[in-house]
Amino acid sequence: MRFVAVLLTFLLACASAQAESTRLLKYDGGEIPSPYWFKDSFLDLADDVEEAAESDKLLMLYFHQAGCPYCYNMIQQNFLDPQLAPFIQEKFDVLALDLWGDREVVLPDGTELPEKELAAQWKIQYTPTLIFLNREGEISLRIDGYRPKPVFLQILDYALSGNTGPGLAQTLIKSSGDEMYPEPFILETRDLSSLKGKLTAVLLEYPGCDDCEALHRNAIARSSVYDQLEQYQVVRFDATSDKPLTLPDGRSITPAKWVAELGVTYYPTTILLDEFGTERFRVGGYVQSFHYATALEYVSRKGYEQFPEFQRFLNDRADRLRTQGSKVVITE
């Protein structure tokens, strides 16, 4: 428990300080080695959960894929961090699963299926994705996408606290009197039902959010992203606000309650709505411009109809751009 107290002290310091940089490290596209202490498993999750419980640990499933720069960041900046690594080893068994893998996984209910089919069944659209299983083998927490170290610290503490309700998103909000990053193209409306008939991008942020500002500076500011955003009506809501908004179905709700309903666990999150006001995709993790632009195109081109897995559309788009003579750098 002393280590947890130290961790919480460090976490409070992080909350009051500037968040560390979320820039992506470059990676060459090959296999990303896992730490030696990741669990060597027969992939029978019921057994893995039981073995973790016997050691007073929780089971963490880590979905990854070769060439994923966000997975590389997760390994280098979180799993191999000298402060975090001993704590993770003490409190979690980490099991790596390949998004496109063929190894057979046995679920706690006895269902057997390959890694890639499990990823499709669980609708894993980002790597890395973390799935935390409780002592009963049930999913207690899911984190889609890369999280920088200060946020990852909070996630680990939250996973261990036993509180697995939708309040996680609220615990990640740091109070601040700062304004949100200014963008002239954001519509001043709180009525999403009035925007039907055209694609809509809903930005969920909060004042003083470092990663929110990084999204605007590092991704949205690029012409490749802005060109895609021109096909959308863009609105933004402060996730801490109690000022009601109107959803596409006409229901009135505060942003704070809406993000809880949505299960948002990271800011910024972008919700992409089709012309009928139906959510088609969301960007709920830290991404660079190529991935963000691809997500926008995924909905604008109805890519989800041909490619239910976003990663397949991402690869297809990269191939199309290369065929057109464009240079594709997924870490920019």
Side-chain angles (χ1 to χ4, degrees):
M1 292 306 293
R2 182 176 180 276
F3 195 99
V4 175
V6 173
L7 176 67
L8 290 175
T9 301
F10 177 73
L11 178 59
L12 290 174
C14 287
S16 61
Q18 177 79 9
E20 70 177 28
S21 171
T22 50
R23 67 179 178 83
L24 284 177
L25 302 174
K26 305 283 185 180
Y27 195 67
D28 63 6
E31 182 180 355
I32 301 167
S34 296
Y36 72 88
W37 44 266
F38 272 22
K39 185 176 179 63
D40 187 13
S41 168
F42 291 108
L43 303 186
D44 186 324
L45 297 189
D47 288 346
D48 292 328
V49 167
E50 183 177 350
E51 290 174 7
E54 289 173 354
S55 301
D56 196 25
K57 298 181 181 182
L58 292 178
L59 182 64
M60 180 197 307
L61 306 180
Y62 161 65
F63 281 89
H64 65 96
Q65 63 178 318
C68 164
Y70 305 98
C71 302
Y72 186 69
N73 259 34
M74 180 67 82
I75 294 291
Q76 293 294 320
Q77 297 186 2
N78 289 332
F79 285 124
L80 293 180
D81 180 89
Q83 292 173 312
L84 281 176
F87 180 74
I88 295 172
Q89 293 175 68
E90 179 185 354
K91 297 297 182 181
F92 298 90
D93 278 344
V94 184
L95 176 58
L97 297 174
D98 188 339
L99 184 71
W100 310 113
D102 293 312
R103 295 182 301 168
E104 290 291 324
V105 181
V106 182
L107 300 183
D109 66 3
T111 303
E112 298 184 31
L113 69 174
E115 292 165 286
K116 59 188 177 186
E117 292 186 16
L118 175 60
Q121 179 174 303
W122 284 356
K123 300 186 186 307
I124 306 294
Q125 297 283 28
Y126 299 99
T127 53
T129 286
L130 302 179
I131 304 288
F132 295 84
L133 300 184
N134 62 20
R135 300 284 194 267
E136 288 71 44
E138 302 166 336
I139 296 176
S140 61
L141 182 62
R142 170 173 171 159
I143 304 297
D144 295 282
Y146 168 73
R147 300 293 189 269
K149 181 181 172 182
V151 178
F152 192 60
L153 280 163
Q154 292 172 301
I155 288 168
L156 295 180
D157 180 57
Y158 189 88
L160 292 168
S161 72
N163 179 11
T164 56
L168 172 62
Q170 300 306 316
T171 69
L172 301 184
I173 297 176
K174 300 184 288 291
S175 297
S176 172
D178 297 335
E179 298 296 325
M180 291 188 285
Y181 192 88
E183 292 285 13
F185 54 79
I186 292 177
L187 300 177
E188 296 296 330
T189 180
R190 303 189 70 80
D191 186 358
L192 295 178
S193 67
S194 68
L195 302 180
K196 290 182 180 179
K198 190 176 179 181
L199 301 177
T200 301
V202 182
L203 305 180
L204 299 173
E205 305 179 10
Y206 65 90
C209 167
D210 296 315
D211 287 346
C212 300
E213 181 169 331
L215 174 72
H216 289 273
R217 290 181 179 273
N218 301 334
I220 292 178
R222 292 177 178 259
S223 59
S224 59
V225 173
Y226 184 78
D227 290 345
Q228 292 294 330
L229 270 178
E230 285 192 314
Q231 302 176 69
Y232 290 81
Q233 306 165 108
V234 184
V235 296
R236 175 169 60 187
F237 299 113
D238 177 354
T240 67
S241 174
D242 289 324
K243 183 179 179 180
L245 62 91
T246 302
L247 298 180
D249 63 6
R251 185 162 56 102
S252 179
I253 192 172
T254 66
K257 291 183 178 179
W258 190 36
V259 297
E261 284 188 6
L262 292 171
V264 172
T265 60
Y266 177 78
Y267 298 100
T269 284
T270 303
I271 307 292
L272 300 179
L273 308 178
D274 65 16
E275 60 271 26
F276 303 106
T278 300
E279 179 182 342
R280 289 297 183 179
F281 196 67
R282 72 173 64 177
V283 182
Y286 181 81
V287 298
Q288 296 280 29
S289 60
F290 179 77
H291 287 78
Y292 198 79
T294 302
L296 295 170
E297 186 175 313
Y298 186 58
V299 174
S300 66
R301 292 172 61 103
K302 298 185 185 297
Y304 47 82
E305 294 180 350
Q306 182 181 359
F307 300 97
E309 297 92 356
F310 173 68
Q311 294 294 329
R312 294 192 187 279
F313 180 83
L314 187 147
N315 293 334
D316 178 76
R317 179 172 184 258
D319 290 341
R320 281 190 281 111
L321 291 174
R322 293 188 185 102
T323 300
Q324 296 166 10
S326 300
K327 181 181 179 181
V328 175
V329 182
I330 66 173
T331 55
E332 293 182 354

